[in-house]
Amino acid sequence: MTEPVIAQKEPCGVDVEEGNEYWWCACGKSASQPFCDGSHKGTGLSPMQYVAKRNQTVWFCGCKKTTSAPTCDGTHNDL
């Protein structure tokens, strides 16, 4: 598998905390969207680390097609 599965056609808003790390699911198979649960094993895809620079809401990509991974760039609007 070299192409990710579309988990959903909208971003996931998550309140992140400064200094914490988050592992964004890049394969689309995780049951814990938008975060990795290990379902990528054997897909050839790997999760992406995101470290929060401040407390804020981050819109993580749900369609897995963004060019600004792990955040949403609006690509889901064209799917």
Side-chain angles (χ1 to χ4, degrees):
M1 173 180 165
T2 56
E3 287 293 314
V5 173
I6 296 173
Q8 61 188 48
K9 291 185 178 179
E10 58 189 26
C12 300
V14 177
D15 294 329
V16 299
E17 295 182 17
E18 181 180 356
N20 286 354
E21 68 178 42
Y22 301 85
W23 289 91
W24 175 72
C25 168
C27 74
K29 293 182 154 203
S30 174
S32 301
Q33 292 295 326
F35 302 117
C36 178
D37 69 1
S39 296
H40 64 278
K41 290 181 175 62
T43 66
L45 299 169
S46 298
M48 178 178 282
Q49 183 186 42
Y50 176 87
V51 179
K53 293 183 172 98
R54 63 182 183 269
N55 295 342
Q56 65 178 344
T57 301
V58 174
W59 293 93
F60 289 96
C61 176
C63 73
K64 312 305 176 185
K65 305 290 185 184
T66 184
T67 59
S68 62
T71 57
C72 176
D73 68 357
T75 299
H76 63 275
N77 292 316
D78 297 327
L79 298 177

